[in-house]
PDB file of all heavy atoms in Angstrom:
ATOM      1  N   ILE A  87     183.154  94.540 143.711  1.00 93.00           N
ATOM      2  CA  ILE A  87     182.906  95.915 143.258  1.00 93.00           C
ATOM      3  C   ILE A  87     181.704  96.485 143.991  1.00 93.00           C
ATOM      4  O   ILE A  87     181.716  97.634 144.462  1.00 93.00           O
ATOM      5  CB  ILE A  87     182.686  95.963 141.737  1.00 93.00           C
ATOM      6  CG1 ILE A  87     183.984  95.618 141.001  1.00 93.00           C
ATOM      7  CG2 ILE A  87     182.183  97.332 141.291  1.00 93.00           C
ATOM      8  CD1 ILE A  87     183.817  95.439 139.509  1.00 93.00           C
ATOM      9  N   HIS A 102     180.798 113.246 158.768  1.00 55.00           N
ATOM     10  CA  HIS A 102     180.342 114.592 159.112  1.00 55.00           C
ATOM     11  C   HIS A 102     180.921 115.560 158.117  1.00 55.00           C
ATOM     12  O   HIS A 102     181.975 115.335 157.557  1.00 55.00           O
ATOM     13  CB  HIS A 102     180.816 114.960 160.526  1.00 55.00           C
ATOM     14  CG  HIS A 102     180.237 114.039 161.574  1.00 55.00           C
ATOM     15  ND1 HIS A 102     178.909 114.067 161.920  1.00 55.00           N
ATOM     16  CD2 HIS A 102     180.810 113.065 162.303  1.00 55.00           C
ATOM     17  CE1 HIS A 102     178.683 113.127 162.852  1.00 55.00           C
ATOM     18  NE2 HIS A 102     179.814 112.514 163.104  1.00 55.00           N
ATOM     19  N   PRO A 108     176.991 111.979 145.019  1.00 60.00           N
ATOM     20  CA  PRO A 108     175.917 112.763 144.386  1.00 60.00           C
ATOM     21  C   PRO A 108     174.574 112.434 145.030  1.00 60.00           C
ATOM     22  O   PRO A 108     174.446 111.393 145.693  1.00 60.00           O
ATOM     23  CB  PRO A 108     175.955 112.304 142.928  1.00 60.00           C
ATOM     24  CG  PRO A 108     176.656 111.005 142.935  1.00 60.00           C
ATOM     25  CD  PRO A 108     177.588 111.020 144.089  1.00 60.00           C
ATOM     26  N   SER A 143     199.695  79.166 123.896  1.00 88.00           N
ATOM     27  CA  SER A 143     200.767  79.770 124.706  1.00 88.00           C
ATOM     28  C   SER A 143     201.433  78.735 125.602  1.00 88.00           C
ATOM     29  O   SER A 143     202.613  78.809 125.886  1.00 88.00           O
ATOM     30  CB  SER A 143     200.239  80.944 125.538  1.00 88.00           C
ATOM     31  OG  SER A 143     199.338  80.495 126.504  1.00 88.00           O
ATOM     32  N   LEU A 153     195.980  64.092 118.775  1.00 91.00           N
ATOM     33  CA  LEU A 153     195.035  63.021 119.131  1.00 91.00           C
ATOM     34  C   LEU A 153     194.179  62.687 117.903  1.00 91.00           C
ATOM     35  O   LEU A 153     193.969  63.550 117.047  1.00 91.00           O
ATOM     36  CB  LEU A 153     194.120  63.476 120.274  1.00 91.00           C
ATOM     37  CG  LEU A 153     194.781  63.735 121.625  1.00 91.00           C
ATOM     38  CD1 LEU A 153     193.777  64.318 122.598  1.00 91.00           C
ATOM     39  CD2 LEU A 153     195.358  62.453 122.192  1.00 91.00           C
ATOM     40  N   LEU A 177     174.923  84.163 134.549  1.00 94.00           N
ATOM     41  CA  LEU A 177     173.863  83.706 135.458  1.00 94.00           C
ATOM     42  C   LEU A 177     174.215  84.005 136.908  1.00 94.00           C
ATOM     43  O   LEU A 177     173.376  84.486 137.686  1.00 94.00           O
ATOM     44  CB  LEU A 177     173.684  82.194 135.268  1.00 94.00           C
ATOM     45  CG  LEU A 177     172.405  81.588 135.836  1.00 94.00           C
ATOM     46  CD1 LEU A 177     171.188  82.196 135.161  1.00 94.00           C
ATOM     47  CD2 LEU A 177     172.407  80.063 135.627  1.00 94.00           C
ATOM     48  N   TRP A 193     162.313  94.598 146.305  1.00 75.00           N
ATOM     49  CA  TRP A 193     161.841  94.260 144.964  1.00 75.00           C
ATOM     50  C   TRP A 193     161.152  95.437 144.288  1.00 75.00           C
ATOM     51  O   TRP A 193     161.159  95.548 143.056  1.00 75.00           O
ATOM     52  CB  TRP A 193     160.830  93.102 145.017  1.00 75.00           C
ATOM     53  CG  TRP A 193     161.458  91.767 145.351  1.00 75.00           C
ATOM     54  CD1 TRP A 193     161.099  90.957 146.379  1.00 75.00           C
ATOM     55  CD2 TRP A 193     162.539  91.127 144.687  1.00 75.00           C
ATOM     56  NE1 TRP A 193     161.886  89.840 146.390  1.00 75.00           N
ATOM     57  CE2 TRP A 193     162.786  89.912 145.360  1.00 75.00           C
ATOM     58  CE3 TRP A 193     163.337  91.452 143.587  1.00 75.00           C
ATOM     59  CZ2 TRP A 193     163.780  89.012 144.971  1.00 75.00           C
ATOM     60  CZ3 TRP A 193     164.335  90.562 143.205  1.00 75.00           C
ATOM     61  CH2 TRP A 193     164.547  89.350 143.892  1.00 75.00           C
ATOM     62  N   SER A 238     195.623  88.145 123.434  1.00 89.00           N
ATOM     63  CA  SER A 238     194.341  87.747 122.861  1.00 89.00           C
ATOM     64  C   SER A 238     193.192  88.467 123.558  1.00 89.00           C
ATOM     65  O   SER A 238     192.274  88.972 122.900  1.00 89.00           O
ATOM     66  CB  SER A 238     194.199  86.231 123.002  1.00 89.00           C
ATOM     67  OG  SER A 238     192.971  85.795 122.505  1.00 89.00           O
ATOM     68  N   PHE A 271     162.863 117.576 102.879  1.00 82.00           N
ATOM     69  CA  PHE A 271     161.454 117.354 102.503  1.00 82.00           C
ATOM     70  C   PHE A 271     160.564 118.397 103.177  1.00 82.00           C
ATOM     71  O   PHE A 271     159.656 118.948 102.530  1.00 82.00           O
ATOM     72  CB  PHE A 271     161.024 115.939 102.906  1.00 82.00           C
ATOM     73  CG  PHE A 271     159.560 115.673 102.756  1.00 82.00           C
ATOM     74  CD1 PHE A 271     158.991 115.571 101.495  1.00 82.00           C
ATOM     75  CD2 PHE A 271     158.733 115.553 103.869  1.00 82.00           C
ATOM     76  CE1 PHE A 271     157.633 115.354 101.348  1.00 82.00           C
ATOM     77  CE2 PHE A 271     157.371 115.340 103.718  1.00 82.00           C
ATOM     78  CZ  PHE A 271     156.814 115.243 102.458  1.00 82.00           C
ATOM     79  N   SER A 302     169.795  93.518 116.964  1.00 90.00           N
ATOM     80  CA  SER A 302     169.920  92.098 117.350  1.00 90.00           C
ATOM     81  C   SER A 302     170.309  91.259 116.137  1.00 90.00           C
ATOM     82  O   SER A 302     171.161  90.370 116.225  1.00 90.00           O
ATOM     83  CB  SER A 302     168.616  91.569 117.946  1.00 90.00           C
ATOM     84  OG  SER A 302     168.258  92.318 119.072  1.00 90.00           O
ATOM     85  N   GLY A 353     165.940  96.709  96.398  1.00 85.00           N
ATOM     86  CA  GLY A 353     165.320  96.824  95.081  1.00 85.00           C
ATOM     87  C   GLY A 353     163.900  96.275  95.093  1.00 85.00           C
ATOM     88  O   GLY A 353     162.982  96.880  94.527  1.00 85.00           O
TER      89      GLY A 353
END
Side-chain angles (χ1 to χ4, degrees):
Chain A
I87 292 171
H102 298 289
S143 66
L153 294 174
L177 196 62
W193 289 124
S238 178
F271 171 70
S302 301

